[in-house]
């Protein structure tokens, strides 16, 4: 158990809808990163939040947006869902950003878009 | 990710056998992470390596980062069914986005 929790566990949405995924960081961690993992692939970086500010973004369109709250929990919002958005969404928390600090992942949210 | 290549893609071993998984990059790795993932679940942190030539062990798993910091290996001694899963290497390449790049993973099956 890493102390990082995500909700919901599973979600089924229809193309064009909007979805919000949630993540609670490990205690003491002020940085949250979100990743998308398609079936059979490694996780792909979406964006990172540090102290409530976006601190880096991967190659994802603007319809992927996020928030980090004062308690360091975070949300990932995806608008206008597409079939290719079906994936496992992972959040990872760390003390500051990667490279020098260990990143701990949550169990993920499985999103299915039909 | 094309930045990190993992090999082999899958591995089937008999219980008790040793095995090695490799992770190779064309760029310098500033932080190299090894994770284990059960199918469809989150990533379990195994080890982090930062210095060239660094080696770390935990129980029967040993990870090394080469001197040039472009290749890492994960070695499991006397494999057990509990070692089965997908092993992923993730790396910080100092691209400015503060993220980890991941390989596509190695699926390990251990036959009792």
């Amino acid at each position: 158990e890493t102390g990082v929790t995500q909700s919901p566990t599973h979600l089924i949405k229809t193309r064009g809808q909007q979805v919000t995924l949630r993540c609670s960081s490990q205690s003491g961690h002020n940085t949250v990163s979100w990743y998308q993992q398609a079936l059979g692939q490694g996780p792909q970086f979406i964006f990172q939040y540090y102290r409530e500010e976006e601190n880096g973004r991967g190659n994802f369109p603007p319809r992927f947006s996020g928030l980090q709250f004062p308690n360091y929990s975070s949300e990932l919002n995806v608008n206008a869902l597409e079939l290719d958005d079906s994936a496992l969404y992972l959040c990872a928390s760390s003390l500051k950003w990667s490279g020098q600090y260990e990143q701990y992942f949550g169990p993920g949210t499985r999103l299915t878009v039909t | 990710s094309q930045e990190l290549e993992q090999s082999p893609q899958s591995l089937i071993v008999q219980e008790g056998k040793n095995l090695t998984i490799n992770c190779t990059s064309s760029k310098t790795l500033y932080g190299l992470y090894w994770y284990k993932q059960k199918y469809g679940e989150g990533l379990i942190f195994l080890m982090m390596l930062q210095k060239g030539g660094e080696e770390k062990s935990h129980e029967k798993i040993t990870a090394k980062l080469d001197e040039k910091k472009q290749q890492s290996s994960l070695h499991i001694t006397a494999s057990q069914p509990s070692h089965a899963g997908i092993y992923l290497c993730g790396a910080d390449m100092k691209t400015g986005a503060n993220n980890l790049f991941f390989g596509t993973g190695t699926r390990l099956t251990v036959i009792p």
Side-chain angles (χ1 to χ4, degrees), chain B residues 65-89:
Chain B
L65 183 61
D66 75 340
E67 290 288 344
K68 292 184 179 179
K69 295 173 64 174
Q70 287 186 296
Q71 184 170 359
S72 179
S73 60
L74 185 83
H75 184 79
I76 299 178
T77 304
S79 58
Q80 300 170 350
S82 61
H83 288 129
I86 300 169
Y87 289 82
L88 289 155
C89 63

PDB file of all heavy atoms in Angstrom, chain B residues 65-89:
ATOM      1  N   LEU B  65      22.605   0.283 -12.471  1.00  0.00           N
ATOM      2  CA  LEU B  65      22.648   1.340 -13.476  1.00  0.00           C
ATOM      3  C   LEU B  65      24.082   1.396 -13.972  1.00  0.00           C
ATOM      4  O   LEU B  65      25.012   1.499 -13.166  1.00  0.00           O
ATOM      5  CB  LEU B  65      22.220   2.682 -12.864  1.00  0.00           C
ATOM      6  CG  LEU B  65      22.147   3.881 -13.800  1.00  0.00           C
ATOM      7  CD1 LEU B  65      21.127   3.653 -14.914  1.00  0.00           C
ATOM      8  CD2 LEU B  65      21.794   5.141 -13.013  1.00  0.00           C
ATOM      9  N   ASP B  66      24.273   1.323 -15.284  1.00  0.00           N
ATOM     10  CA  ASP B  66      25.655   1.255 -15.788  1.00  0.00           C
ATOM     11  C   ASP B  66      26.380   2.578 -15.591  1.00  0.00           C
ATOM     12  O   ASP B  66      25.788   3.609 -15.271  1.00  0.00           O
ATOM     13  CB  ASP B  66      25.672   0.800 -17.246  1.00  0.00           C
ATOM     14  CG  ASP B  66      25.225   1.888 -18.210  1.00  0.00           C
ATOM     15  OD1 ASP B  66      24.558   2.850 -17.775  1.00  0.00           O
ATOM     16  OD2 ASP B  66      25.538   1.782 -19.407  1.00  0.00           O
ATOM     17  N   GLU B  67      27.698   2.536 -15.802  1.00  0.00           N
ATOM     18  CA  GLU B  67      28.532   3.708 -15.543  1.00  0.00           C
ATOM     19  C   GLU B  67      28.135   4.902 -16.406  1.00  0.00           C
ATOM     20  O   GLU B  67      28.218   6.044 -15.973  1.00  0.00           O
ATOM     21  CB  GLU B  67      30.001   3.362 -15.795  1.00  0.00           C
ATOM     22  CG  GLU B  67      30.609   2.410 -14.774  1.00  0.00           C
ATOM     23  CD  GLU B  67      30.827   3.065 -13.423  1.00  0.00           C
ATOM     24  OE1 GLU B  67      30.798   4.308 -13.335  1.00  0.00           O
ATOM     25  OE2 GLU B  67      31.012   2.333 -12.427  1.00  0.00           O
ATOM     26  N   LYS B  68      27.713   4.617 -17.628  1.00  0.00           N
ATOM     27  CA  LYS B  68      27.337   5.697 -18.542  1.00  0.00           C
ATOM     28  C   LYS B  68      25.919   6.209 -18.292  1.00  0.00           C
ATOM     29  O   LYS B  68      25.483   7.174 -18.924  1.00  0.00           O
ATOM     30  CB  LYS B  68      27.441   5.222 -19.994  1.00  0.00           C
ATOM     31  CG  LYS B  68      28.856   4.945 -20.465  1.00  0.00           C
ATOM     32  CD  LYS B  68      28.875   4.573 -21.941  1.00  0.00           C
ATOM     33  CE  LYS B  68      30.294   4.325 -22.426  1.00  0.00           C
ATOM     34  NZ  LYS B  68      30.323   3.934 -23.872  1.00  0.00           N
ATOM     35  N   LYS B  69      25.206   5.553 -17.404  1.00  0.00           N
ATOM     36  CA  LYS B  69      23.834   5.921 -17.049  1.00  0.00           C
ATOM     37  C   LYS B  69      22.908   5.910 -18.257  1.00  0.00           C
ATOM     38  O   LYS B  69      22.079   6.809 -18.445  1.00  0.00           O
ATOM     39  CB  LYS B  69      23.819   7.295 -16.373  1.00  0.00           C
ATOM     40  CG  LYS B  69      24.548   7.303 -15.032  1.00  0.00           C
ATOM     41  CD  LYS B  69      24.673   8.693 -14.436  1.00  0.00           C
ATOM     42  CE  LYS B  69      23.356   9.300 -14.100  1.00  0.00           C
ATOM     43  NZ  LYS B  69      23.501  10.603 -13.395  1.00  0.00           N
ATOM     44  N   GLN B  70      23.059   4.870 -19.104  1.00  0.00           N
ATOM     45  CA  GLN B  70      22.157   4.719 -20.224  1.00  0.00           C
ATOM     46  C   GLN B  70      21.514   3.347 -20.275  1.00  0.00           C
ATOM     47  O   GLN B  70      20.710   3.086 -21.160  1.00  0.00           O
ATOM     48  CB  GLN B  70      22.896   4.995 -21.545  1.00  0.00           C
ATOM     49  CG  GLN B  70      23.206   6.473 -21.752  1.00  0.00           C
ATOM     50  CD  GLN B  70      23.795   6.761 -23.110  1.00  0.00           C
ATOM     51  OE1 GLN B  70      24.879   6.298 -23.431  1.00  0.00           O
ATOM     52  NE2 GLN B  70      23.063   7.508 -23.921  1.00  0.00           N
ATOM     53  N   GLN B  71      21.870   2.489 -19.340  1.00  0.00           N
ATOM     54  CA  GLN B  71      21.292   1.158 -19.317  1.00  0.00           C
ATOM     55  C   GLN B  71      21.154   0.678 -17.886  1.00  0.00           C
ATOM     56  O   GLN B  71      22.040   0.900 -17.053  1.00  0.00           O
ATOM     57  CB  GLN B  71      22.152   0.172 -20.115  1.00  0.00           C
ATOM     58  CG  GLN B  71      21.539  -1.211 -20.214  1.00  0.00           C
ATOM     59  CD  GLN B  71      22.272  -2.100 -21.195  1.00  0.00           C
ATOM     60  OE1 GLN B  71      23.233  -1.694 -21.833  1.00  0.00           O
ATOM     61  NE2 GLN B  71      21.813  -3.329 -21.334  1.00  0.00           N
ATOM     62  N   SER B  72      20.034   0.021 -17.626  1.00  0.00           N
ATOM     63  CA  SER B  72      19.820  -0.578 -16.318  1.00  0.00           C
ATOM     64  C   SER B  72      19.354  -2.011 -16.500  1.00  0.00           C
ATOM     65  O   SER B  72      18.720  -2.351 -17.502  1.00  0.00           O
ATOM     66  CB  SER B  72      18.774   0.213 -15.532  1.00  0.00           C
ATOM     67  OG  SER B  72      18.543  -0.392 -14.265  1.00  0.00           O
ATOM     68  N   SER B  73      19.679  -2.830 -15.532  1.00  0.00           N
ATOM     69  CA  SER B  73      19.230  -4.210 -15.558  1.00  0.00           C
ATOM     70  C   SER B  73      18.579  -4.548 -14.223  1.00  0.00           C
ATOM     71  O   SER B  73      18.963  -4.014 -13.172  1.00  0.00           O
ATOM     72  CB  SER B  73      20.391  -5.166 -15.845  1.00  0.00           C
ATOM     73  OG  SER B  73      21.375  -5.049 -14.844  1.00  0.00           O
ATOM     74  N   LEU B  74      17.606  -5.423 -14.294  1.00  0.00           N
ATOM     75  CA  LEU B  74      16.912  -5.928 -13.106  1.00  0.00           C
ATOM     76  C   LEU B  74      17.105  -7.433 -13.095  1.00  0.00           C
ATOM     77  O   LEU B  74      16.757  -8.121 -14.064  1.00  0.00           O
ATOM     78  CB  LEU B  74      15.427  -5.588 -13.164  1.00  0.00           C
ATOM     79  CG  LEU B  74      14.616  -5.962 -11.918  1.00  0.00           C
ATOM     80  CD1 LEU B  74      14.771  -4.868 -10.869  1.00  0.00           C
ATOM     81  CD2 LEU B  74      13.146  -6.154 -12.253  1.00  0.00           C
ATOM     82  N   HIS B  75      17.667  -7.927 -12.024  1.00  0.00           N
ATOM     83  CA  HIS B  75      17.982  -9.350 -11.927  1.00  0.00           C
ATOM     84  C   HIS B  75      17.194  -9.964 -10.774  1.00  0.00           C
ATOM     85  O   HIS B  75      17.216  -9.435  -9.667  1.00  0.00           O
ATOM     86  CB  HIS B  75      19.495  -9.534 -11.711  1.00  0.00           C
ATOM     87  CG  HIS B  75      19.919 -10.951 -11.693  1.00  0.00           C
ATOM     88  ND1 HIS B  75      20.081 -11.701 -12.844  1.00  0.00           N
ATOM     89  CD2 HIS B  75      20.214 -11.781 -10.660  1.00  0.00           C
ATOM     90  CE1 HIS B  75      20.451 -12.922 -12.523  1.00  0.00           C
ATOM     91  NE2 HIS B  75      20.549 -12.995 -11.211  1.00  0.00           N
ATOM     92  N   ILE B  76      16.528 -11.066 -11.063  1.00  0.00           N
ATOM     93  CA  ILE B  76      15.794 -11.789 -10.015  1.00  0.00           C
ATOM     94  C   ILE B  76      16.478 -13.148  -9.819  1.00  0.00           C
ATOM     95  O   ILE B  76      16.672 -13.906 -10.786  1.00  0.00           O
ATOM     96  CB  ILE B  76      14.310 -11.972 -10.377  1.00  0.00           C
ATOM     97  CG1 ILE B  76      13.641 -10.605 -10.527  1.00  0.00           C
ATOM     98  CG2 ILE B  76      13.602 -12.805  -9.304  1.00  0.00           C
ATOM     99  CD1 ILE B  76      12.173 -10.662 -10.943  1.00  0.00           C
ATOM    100  N   THR B  77      16.808 -13.421  -8.599  1.00  0.00           N
ATOM    101  CA  THR B  77      17.473 -14.684  -8.252  1.00  0.00           C
ATOM    102  C   THR B  77      16.443 -15.663  -7.698  1.00  0.00           C
ATOM    103  O   THR B  77      15.600 -15.281  -6.889  1.00  0.00           O
ATOM    104  CB  THR B  77      18.557 -14.436  -7.194  1.00  0.00           C
ATOM    105  OG1 THR B  77      19.474 -13.453  -7.698  1.00  0.00           O
ATOM    106  CG2 THR B  77      19.307 -15.705  -6.861  1.00  0.00           C
ATOM    107  N   ALA B  78      16.534 -16.904  -8.143  1.00  0.00           N
ATOM    108  CA  ALA B  78      15.643 -17.960  -7.636  1.00  0.00           C
ATOM    109  C   ALA B  78      14.190 -17.513  -7.682  1.00  0.00           C
ATOM    110  O   ALA B  78      13.531 -17.361  -6.651  1.00  0.00           O
ATOM    111  CB  ALA B  78      16.055 -18.370  -6.232  1.00  0.00           C
ATOM    112  N   SER B  79      13.685 -17.297  -8.897  1.00  0.00           N
ATOM    113  CA  SER B  79      12.349 -16.730  -9.085  1.00  0.00           C
ATOM    114  C   SER B  79      11.251 -17.575  -8.423  1.00  0.00           C
ATOM    115  O   SER B  79      11.363 -18.800  -8.290  1.00  0.00           O
ATOM    116  CB  SER B  79      12.053 -16.589 -10.576  1.00  0.00           C
ATOM    117  OG  SER B  79      12.142 -17.847 -11.213  1.00  0.00           O
ATOM    118  N   GLN B  80      10.211 -16.874  -8.008  1.00  0.00           N
ATOM    119  CA  GLN B  80       9.052 -17.508  -7.365  1.00  0.00           C
ATOM    120  C   GLN B  80       7.790 -17.049  -8.086  1.00  0.00           C
ATOM    121  O   GLN B  80       7.782 -15.995  -8.734  1.00  0.00           O
ATOM    122  CB  GLN B  80       8.980 -17.076  -5.900  1.00  0.00           C
ATOM    123  CG  GLN B  80      10.206 -17.448  -5.087  1.00  0.00           C
ATOM    124  CD  GLN B  80      10.202 -16.783  -3.720  1.00  0.00           C
ATOM    125  OE1 GLN B  80       9.396 -15.904  -3.443  1.00  0.00           O
ATOM    126  NE2 GLN B  80      11.109 -17.215  -2.867  1.00  0.00           N
ATOM    127  N   PRO B  81       6.696 -17.787  -7.970  1.00  0.00           N
ATOM    128  CA  PRO B  81       5.434 -17.358  -8.603  1.00  0.00           C
ATOM    129  C   PRO B  81       5.017 -15.948  -8.191  1.00  0.00           C
ATOM    130  O   PRO B  81       4.389 -15.237  -8.975  1.00  0.00           O
ATOM    131  CB  PRO B  81       4.437 -18.412  -8.123  1.00  0.00           C
ATOM    132  CG  PRO B  81       5.254 -19.644  -7.941  1.00  0.00           C
ATOM    133  CD  PRO B  81       6.577 -19.146  -7.392  1.00  0.00           C
ATOM    134  N   SER B  82       5.387 -15.526  -6.985  1.00  0.00           N
ATOM    135  CA  SER B  82       5.028 -14.179  -6.523  1.00  0.00           C
ATOM    136  C   SER B  82       5.760 -13.085  -7.299  1.00  0.00           C
ATOM    137  O   SER B  82       5.381 -11.915  -7.243  1.00  0.00           O
ATOM    138  CB  SER B  82       5.330 -14.024  -5.034  1.00  0.00           C
ATOM    139  OG  SER B  82       6.717 -14.210  -4.784  1.00  0.00           O
ATOM    140  N   HIS B  83       6.793 -13.442  -8.033  1.00  0.00           N
ATOM    141  CA  HIS B  83       7.515 -12.470  -8.856  1.00  0.00           C
ATOM    142  C   HIS B  83       6.796 -12.184 -10.175  1.00  0.00           C
ATOM    143  O   HIS B  83       7.151 -11.237 -10.882  1.00  0.00           O
ATOM    144  CB  HIS B  83       8.936 -12.965  -9.167  1.00  0.00           C
ATOM    145  CG  HIS B  83       9.857 -12.925  -7.994  1.00  0.00           C
ATOM    146  ND1 HIS B  83      10.622 -14.008  -7.597  1.00  0.00           N
ATOM    147  CD2 HIS B  83      10.148 -11.925  -7.116  1.00  0.00           C
ATOM    148  CE1 HIS B  83      11.325 -13.682  -6.531  1.00  0.00           C
ATOM    149  NE2 HIS B  83      11.066 -12.426  -6.218  1.00  0.00           N
ATOM    150  N   ALA B  84       5.801 -12.961 -10.502  1.00  0.00           N
ATOM    151  CA  ALA B  84       5.097 -12.791 -11.773  1.00  0.00           C
ATOM    152  C   ALA B  84       4.406 -11.429 -11.836  1.00  0.00           C
ATOM    153  O   ALA B  84       3.886 -10.932 -10.849  1.00  0.00           O
ATOM    154  CB  ALA B  84       4.081 -13.895 -11.968  1.00  0.00           C
ATOM    155  N   GLY B  85       4.435 -10.837 -13.028  1.00  0.00           N
ATOM    156  CA  GLY B  85       3.816  -9.527 -13.231  1.00  0.00           C
ATOM    157  C   GLY B  85       4.491  -8.823 -14.378  1.00  0.00           C
ATOM    158  O   GLY B  85       5.273  -9.413 -15.123  1.00  0.00           O
ATOM    159  N   ILE B  86       4.206  -7.538 -14.492  1.00  0.00           N
ATOM    160  CA  ILE B  86       4.825  -6.717 -15.530  1.00  0.00           C
ATOM    161  C   ILE B  86       5.839  -5.793 -14.870  1.00  0.00           C
ATOM    162  O   ILE B  86       5.520  -5.075 -13.928  1.00  0.00           O
ATOM    163  CB  ILE B  86       3.766  -5.894 -16.283  1.00  0.00           C
ATOM    164  CG1 ILE B  86       2.750  -6.826 -16.938  1.00  0.00           C
ATOM    165  CG2 ILE B  86       4.426  -4.995 -17.331  1.00  0.00           C
ATOM    166  CD1 ILE B  86       1.527  -6.117 -17.477  1.00  0.00           C
ATOM    167  N   TYR B  87       7.050  -5.833 -15.360  1.00  0.00           N
ATOM    168  CA  TYR B  87       8.108  -4.984 -14.818  1.00  0.00           C
ATOM    169  C   TYR B  87       8.333  -3.804 -15.768  1.00  0.00           C
ATOM    170  O   TYR B  87       8.541  -3.984 -16.964  1.00  0.00           O
ATOM    171  CB  TYR B  87       9.399  -5.774 -14.607  1.00  0.00           C
ATOM    172  CG  TYR B  87       9.265  -6.741 -13.446  1.00  0.00           C
ATOM    173  CD1 TYR B  87       8.657  -7.984 -13.624  1.00  0.00           C
ATOM    174  CD2 TYR B  87       9.699  -6.396 -12.171  1.00  0.00           C
ATOM    175  CE1 TYR B  87       8.487  -8.861 -12.559  1.00  0.00           C
ATOM    176  CE2 TYR B  87       9.551  -7.264 -11.096  1.00  0.00           C
ATOM    177  CZ  TYR B  87       8.932  -8.488 -11.299  1.00  0.00           C
ATOM    178  OH  TYR B  87       8.755  -9.351 -10.241  1.00  0.00           O
ATOM    179  N   LEU B  88       8.273  -2.613 -15.195  1.00  0.00           N
ATOM    180  CA  LEU B  88       8.412  -1.389 -15.982  1.00  0.00           C
ATOM    181  C   LEU B  88       9.607  -0.587 -15.482  1.00  0.00           C
ATOM    182  O   LEU B  88       9.788  -0.425 -14.270  1.00  0.00           O
ATOM    183  CB  LEU B  88       7.169  -0.513 -15.840  1.00  0.00           C
ATOM    184  CG  LEU B  88       5.894  -1.005 -16.522  1.00  0.00           C
ATOM    185  CD1 LEU B  88       4.660  -0.431 -15.842  1.00  0.00           C
ATOM    186  CD2 LEU B  88       5.905  -0.615 -17.990  1.00  0.00           C
ATOM    187  N   CYS B  89      10.393  -0.081 -16.421  1.00  0.00           N
ATOM    188  CA  CYS B  89      11.418   0.881 -16.029  1.00  0.00           C
ATOM    189  C   CYS B  89      10.917   2.273 -16.418  1.00  0.00           C
ATOM    190  O   CYS B  89      10.275   2.454 -17.457  1.00  0.00           O
ATOM    191  CB  CYS B  89      12.771   0.573 -16.671  1.00  0.00           C
ATOM    192  SG  CYS B  89      12.834   0.671 -18.473  1.00  0.00           S
TER     193      CYS B  89
END
